[in-house]
Every structure is written in structure tokens, then in C-alpha cells.
Amino acid sequence: MAMEPAAQCFEDRDGGIGWTVDDRPGRVLEAFFAGYDRAFILPDEKEDLAGFQACLGLNGRKFPFAPWPVRELVMIGQDQPGGPVLAGANFLATLIGGRIAVALNYAYVEPAARGRGLLRRVLGAVEQASRAALDRMSAPVTLFIEQNDPLRLSAEHYAADSAFSGIDQVDRLAVWARMGAKLVDLDYVQPPLSAGQQADGALVYAALRHDGPGLPGEFLAAHLTSFFGISVLKGIDPVTSREAAAQIDAVRQAGTVRLLPMEPPIAALRQDPPPADGSLIALARRLSA
């Protein structure tokens, strides 16, 4: 199925919030980026405006490494047209077989708008926008997110990100656990976002809205190929990235990749002293054994 670039952004309303989505650089990206720039600080996980523009500029192109229908999108939520942005998201939707895999690259809710249940509404709007962009309104959707690993962040980065975002790292994990997120049993490393950045190994990967105890390896491999190749590497075949190629190969060979509950490791992280497993995924594996 050949995907054509969308002619215009579209709006939908949920709970009084208007969601405006676009697949091109422009007004929506600029409005999204203003809030995004206030929400993210860590150097190797932060995209600059040129990076977002490059990713959105790939829409409509064909890639031998990603033969599936795919679309990079940016979204903002407002109480009324022209009003202040309350929340935003950037995500990549890929139709793999009959299921849509969504890499929720970045999502934020402005501090003044927190406490209104907007994160759950963001997720619903991301699902709807992904289905519309790929013309598959009844397709099931699996959402994927990167999360900071409190056990692998340096003390400096832990404190800086918590202060900048206004939420502690473990509390943030708990928020996503309430959204239904489960940890993907993968030693996850984000390849470098640009030539001036480093690979980021202080992250874990998680999935939402997926039934069953695990993910098919081929489905996850296809998703990671699309995500790494487009949202991270800006159109470069992920086989050229050591970090990307190793993870894609690992999940493909696994057959099925487990989804591990987040609640047990979160409870362990709240203990004093904290566990010494070295990483959140190692802790989750131990507690799920």
C-alpha cells in the first residue's frame, strides 16, 4: 500500500481537548517543540528542531529497510484553537501485518495542565491519529516508549532530569505503569540521534496496549527497524548502526520477547537501600523469575 503525504493536519476532540496532528514541518511542529524543549534535558536523548524536521521530511519516501506503510507525526493538544498548548507528542506509526506499531518518541503534558488525566488522552489521540494516518481505523495498536532507567542514570542526570521535568524518575515509571506499560525484556540501547551525540544505554523499552505475555520477535524486529531507521537515524539503514543491528537481530532470533510487569521493580526501587541489580530490566527479570 503506497502512502501519500497528508495534505493537511486534522483535528479531533476528546474531553474538550482539540488534538491537531501533522506529518510535515510547520506550525504544529513549532508549537510542539516549544513545550518539548521545556520538558526534556538529557543530552543524548534530546532531539533538536532540525532533527524533528528531518524525520518529518522523510514522509512519503520509500526505504528498502522499511517496506511497510509508515508515517512520522507530531501532535499538540489545546482547549481551544489558538489557545495555549497543554500537551504534545511526536510518534512514528508503522503498519506491520495487520497491527500498527507506534514508537511514542516523545510525549509531555505542560505542568500547568497536569492532574487532568491528559496523559491518558494523549495516548488515545496518538492511537487515533496513527490509525487515520495509515488508513486502518480498526487496526489494533501497540505503543512503545523509551523510559529512563533510574539504576543506570548517573546521579547528576537523575537529579537534573527530575528537577527539570518536575517529577522523580521512579514516580515517572509509576505513572506509566498506571497507563498499563510493561517492560520489554530487552537490553535496550538507543543509537545516537546525531553525529554529535552518544548512544544512550540508560534507558529501558516498554510497551502498552498489547495483549498477551510477549511480543512476536518478527513484529518487534520490524518495529525497531522502522523506529531506528527513521526516528533515530533519519533515513539511514539501521544495519549500519552497531547498537541497532544487534538489538534487531536479538529480538528476531528470540522468537517471542517477554513483557515484564513494572510494579514489582518499582516497589523494589522505593526500598532503602535500593536494589543493586545494575539495571531496571535485570531487576525486573529477577523479580519475574
Side-chain angles (χ1 to χ4, degrees):
M1 171 179 146
M3 296 301 303
E4 297 295 333
Q8 59 185 0
C9 60
F10 69 90
E11 294 186 342
D12 186 31
R13 308 200 73 80
D14 177 16
I17 303 298
W19 302 104
T20 306
V21 184
D22 206 347
D23 70 348
R24 303 155 298 174
R27 178 183 63 85
V28 177
L29 173 60
E30 292 169 2
F32 159 82
F33 188 82
Y36 161 84
D37 202 34
R38 293 189 293 268
F40 294 87
I41 188 175
L42 297 184
D44 291 323
E45 67 182 43
K46 186 166 184 175
E47 190 75 82
D48 61 16
L49 182 58
F52 286 114
Q53 291 169 335
C55 290
L56 291 170
L58 296 175
N59 283 320
R61 289 179 53 182
K62 296 183 182 299
F63 300 96
F65 63 82
W68 317 280
V70 61
R71 188 71 61 82
E72 179 102 10
L73 300 159
V74 65
M75 179 181 77
I76 56 172
Q78 299 163 288
D79 278 325
Q80 57 187 5
V85 173
L86 306 178
N90 162 246
F91 49 103
L92 179 78
T94 306
L95 182 63
I96 304 167
R99 176 175 288 273
I100 297 173
V102 175
L104 182 52
N105 301 331
Y106 301 99
Y108 67 85
V109 174
E110 290 283 8
R114 292 174 185 171
R116 296 174 51 180
L118 282 182
L119 180 57
R120 196 175 297 277
R121 293 180 184 173
V122 167
L123 298 182
V126 165
E127 283 196 46
Q128 180 176 348
S130 298
R131 290 188 175 108
L134 298 176
D135 194 24
R136 289 292 189 277
M137 295 308 296
S138 61
V141 176
T142 299
L143 297 173
F144 293 94
I145 57 170
E146 296 174 328
Q147 297 186 280
N148 289 336
D149 183 343
L151 293 175
R152 302 197 70 179
L153 283 173
S154 68
E156 177 185 6
H157 281 178
Y158 190 117
D161 189 76
S162 297
F164 193 77
S165 64
I167 185 170
D168 177 75
Q169 302 299 314
V170 179
D171 291 339
R172 181 186 288 157
L173 290 174
V175 168
W176 283 103
R178 290 195 293 273
M179 296 297 108
K182 295 182 179 180
L183 295 170
V184 178
D185 191 1
L186 171 67
D187 294 312
Y188 182 74
V189 179
Q190 178 192 270
L193 289 168
S194 70
Q197 293 170 285
Q198 302 296 317
D200 193 343
L203 297 167
V204 290
Y205 214 48
L208 301 92
R209 314 283 175 98
H210 193 92
D211 295 331
L215 295 158
E218 286 293 339
F219 173 77
L220 182 56
H223 159 69
L224 290 175
T225 298
S226 179
F227 166 55
F228 287 151
I230 295 173
S231 294
V232 178
L233 300 174
K234 319 298 189 291
I236 297 174
D237 191 332
V239 74
T240 64
S241 164
R242 178 183 61 188
E243 296 87 2
Q247 292 173 90
I248 293 167
D249 185 60
V251 300
R252 180 173 286 120
Q253 292 188 27
T256 300
V257 180
R258 293 188 302 168
L259 293 175
L260 306 176
M262 293 183 64
E263 291 80 3
I266 289 172
L269 288 172
R270 297 194 188 281
Q271 297 174 359
D272 188 20
D277 291 75
S279 72
L280 185 64
I281 196 65
L283 176 61
R285 286 168 180 159
R286 175 170 65 82
L287 295 175
S288 299

